[in-house]
Amino acid sequence: MKTACYLRMSADRELGIDRQREDCLALIEANGWTPVEYTDNERSATRGVRPAYQQMLTDIEAGAIGAIVAWHPDRLYRKLSDLLPLIDLCNARGVTITTHQAGLIDLGTDAGRLNAKILGAVAENEGERRTARQLRALRQRAEAGKGWGTRAFGYTADDALMPPEADAVREAYTAVLQGATLFRVAQTWNDAGLFTAKGGNRWVGSSVRRVLLNARYKGIREYHGHEYPAQWEPVVTNDVWQSAAAILNDPSRRNGKRVRVHLMTGLMLCGECQRPMGVGTCGDRSHPQRKVYMCKAVGCRKLARDFAKVNALIADRVVERLSRDDAADLIASEAVDMNLLRADAASIHSRLDELADALEQGWTVAQVGRATRTAQAKLDAIEAQMIDANAARIFDGLIGVLDVRAAWAALNVDRQRAVVDALMVVTVHPTKRGRGWHPEHIVVAWRKAEHAPL
């Protein structure tokens, strides 16, 4: 009689499977049966699908299997919801179940079925208690600021900083604050030979985003919506993390899958339809093909302007503005003492922690509430100052330098686009003067009054 030899381990432990196989095959041989092996290694009996188990049920349904042998009933099932269909199937096909540890499970009698259900209930309860213990242990580790699982990018398995990766993460936060796209960061990491910690895969924008929005890099252990101070060293300060997160979580942020290669695509507006312009080519027999910024909106497509001349015009406007004596006003927030703000923020955090225990010291609920609201308002104001200061980092290396034009030309397109977007809105208006270059119809509207030339 063909007999299913069912083997299962929740974790990937081949030796455990080998021990099960040895005991089960001995039992099958003692009964003179023919073994057919079904193995689910690293498969839980309570979560997910067990391919080998499902195949075994299919073979039983087809009449190809006459008996089941397992090392213990909990190798077959750990939930009553799995046992009951198995009972019905085995009874319908006359299949018996024998285990090395619990012997024959007679599903043909009410007493045998009761015994099987009791064993199933016990296994299910053991699983629930083990899950509860594991969850409590994980929560305890989280509260202590400890990590677990696969190492994080930028850290060793012991949660020590790994310089090449940690430096790359730190530089990525700076790059995002300066206007870099996630695709650009991914490209930089891939070109440097730095790949994901799990799987060693190449980076894409979405995987970089998950890294930069992970609170572990500001020294926080997150667990089920709660945050705990971590034991590992942070890669960046909280204000840098918050500033980058504000950028990455901005719903207006474009989530393109490629690096932007043109200065004004998506930034310059068509004066006819007020939609962003793209890049294309135009020309005819009397005018050679040339690259242009053009409106590609359906129903419009009326305006186009010379690509190189627009880029030069915008560069001139930016360089002119950043070369002025009052250019430093654009980054006035950077004059703030960040170390002092960080110290103040840490002091308020400590105060909030103390207020959490104030009720036990005789404070009333109303007193604790007022003190907490006051402290939180101060903290919010300080964090807003720090975020503003970090936002001004897009102008790093452009203000106060001897040659602004050379500094501008040295920037990658991401940085240049971020500076343009921070300073101005550019609109192309139609002209009635025919062909030719008419820069007066490319209107720059400065985003803030202090951005406009005097």
Side-chain angles (χ1 to χ4, degrees):
M1 177 174 64
K2 287 188 176 181
T3 300
C5 176
Y6 183 72
L7 315 172
R8 183 186 66 80
M9 286 294 291
S10 295
D12 185 10
R13 292 191 286 266
E14 287 291 349
L15 289 178
I17 289 291
D18 290 343
R19 286 192 291 268
Q20 291 181 41
R21 182 183 293 110
E22 182 180 342
D23 291 342
C24 290
L25 289 179
L27 182 58
I28 291 172
E29 183 179 351
N31 285 276
W33 298 332
T34 302
V36 179
E37 186 173 314
Y38 300 87
T39 302
D40 280 319
N41 196 24
E42 204 171 1
R43 296 282 181 175
S44 170
T46 58
R47 298 187 304 275
V49 176
R50 291 183 283 164
Y53 180 79
Q54 295 300 322
Q55 184 60 53
M56 181 182 71
L57 298 183
T58 300
D59 292 346
I60 292 173
E61 181 71 35
I65 295 296
I68 300 174
V69 170
W71 193 79
H72 189 278
D74 64 11
R75 299 301 87 194
L76 275 172
Y77 55 85
R78 276 191 173 274
K79 297 188 297 183
L80 289 176
S81 58
D82 287 337
L83 171 61
L84 299 181
L86 181 63
I87 290 175
D88 293 339
L89 178 60
C90 288
N91 280 338
R93 292 292 182 265
V95 173
T96 61
I97 299 177
T98 305
T99 69
H100 180 271
Q101 294 293 298
L104 175 67
I105 300 176
D106 186 1
L107 301 179
T109 66
D110 58 348
R113 290 190 293 274
L114 175 62
N115 183 50
K117 292 173 184 176
I118 290 173
L119 290 173
V122 169
E124 188 167 12
N125 179 254
E126 287 177 349
E128 290 172 350
R129 284 192 291 113
R130 182 175 64 251
T131 298
R133 289 196 303 270
Q134 290 171 344
L135 291 175
R136 183 63 187 91
L138 291 177
R139 193 180 84 188
Q140 187 175 28
R141 287 187 64 83
E143 290 170 347
K146 297 179 179 179
W148 60 80
T150 305
R151 79 170 186 88
F153 183 72
Y155 290 87
T156 66
D158 298 325
D159 279 332
L161 289 177
M162 184 181 291
E165 293 181 357
D167 292 344
V169 173
R170 189 177 299 109
E171 290 165 3
Y173 279 104
T174 298
V176 168
L177 291 175
Q178 293 178 339
T181 63
L182 293 174
F183 190 95
R184 177 81 67 181
V185 174
Q187 188 178 62
T188 300
W189 289 358
N190 291 333
D191 290 346
L194 301 174
F195 304 115
T196 62
K198 184 176 181 180
N201 300 314
R202 292 179 64 81
W203 293 97
V204 295
S206 59
S207 56
V208 171
R209 187 177 191 274
R210 285 193 294 273
V211 166
L212 299 184
L213 288 178
N214 189 337
R216 86 154 15 243
Y217 295 99
K218 63 173 178 176
I220 292 294
R221 156 57 74 189
E222 290 182 309
Y223 186 70
H224 286 195
H226 297 282
E227 293 188 347
Y228 306 98
Q231 291 189 352
W232 55 80
E233 183 180 350
V235 173
V236 295
T237 57
N238 178 67
D239 59 279
V240 170
W241 190 94
Q242 295 286 359
S243 299
I247 293 172
L248 297 177
N249 288 324
D250 184 351
S252 66
R253 180 180 173 86
R254 299 175 68 89
N255 293 316
K257 296 182 179 180
R258 302 192 323 181
V259 172
R260 289 281 189 177
V261 295
H262 304 305
L263 177 63
M264 297 305 296
T265 50
L267 295 181
M268 189 161 62
L269 303 179
C270 169
E272 290 282 354
C273 66
Q274 296 302 310
R275 281 178 282 190
M277 299 178 73
V279 168
T281 58
C282 71
D284 52 35
R285 292 180 179 178
S286 59
H287 294 82
Q289 290 285 327
R290 70 188 192 280
K291 199 171 188 179
V292 296
Y293 286 108
M294 61 191 307
C295 179
K296 294 185 175 182
V298 176
C300 184
R301 299 180 179 177
K302 296 179 180 179
L303 301 181
R305 293 294 182 271
D306 186 275
F307 178 85
K309 291 179 179 178
V310 168
N311 286 351
L313 173 67
I314 299 304
D316 286 345
R317 294 296 182 89
V318 171
V319 169
E320 177 189 5
R321 179 62 188 90
L322 298 183
S323 299
R324 282 170 41 187
D325 292 338
D326 65 346
D329 293 347
L330 298 174
I331 53 173
S333 58
E334 284 194 338
V336 170
D337 187 334
M338 292 293 286
N339 289 329
L340 178 59
L341 287 178
R342 288 166 183 158
D344 289 345
S347 175
I348 295 175
H349 277 296
S350 297
R351 177 60 174 161
L352 289 170
D353 289 340
E354 293 172 359
L355 289 172
D357 300 324
L359 289 175
E360 299 177 2
Q361 300 171 6
W363 286 45
T364 67
V365 172
Q367 288 173 327
V368 172
R370 283 195 300 271
T372 300
R373 286 191 295 273
T374 299
Q376 187 63 54
K378 291 180 180 178
L379 180 61
D380 291 344
I382 289 173
E383 290 183 341
Q385 280 185 278
M386 291 191 289
I387 289 174
D388 285 345
N390 284 315
R393 292 172 70 170
I394 58 173
F395 296 111
D396 283 355
L398 288 172
I399 294 177
V401 297
L402 293 176
D403 191 339
V404 176
R405 187 171 296 279
W408 167 262
L411 299 181
N412 61 43
V413 175
D414 285 347
R415 283 287 310 278
Q416 291 181 341
R417 289 172 55 84
V419 171
V420 170
D421 194 32
L423 290 176
M424 63 183 72
V425 177
V426 181
T427 305
V428 176
H429 291 287
T431 175
K432 297 180 181 180
R433 295 174 58 186
R435 292 182 179 276
W437 170 243
H438 303 289
E440 67 275 13
H441 292 285
I442 299 176
V443 177
V444 171
W446 300 93
R447 288 195 180 275
K448 297 180 181 179
E450 60 268 26
H451 292 175
L454 297 175

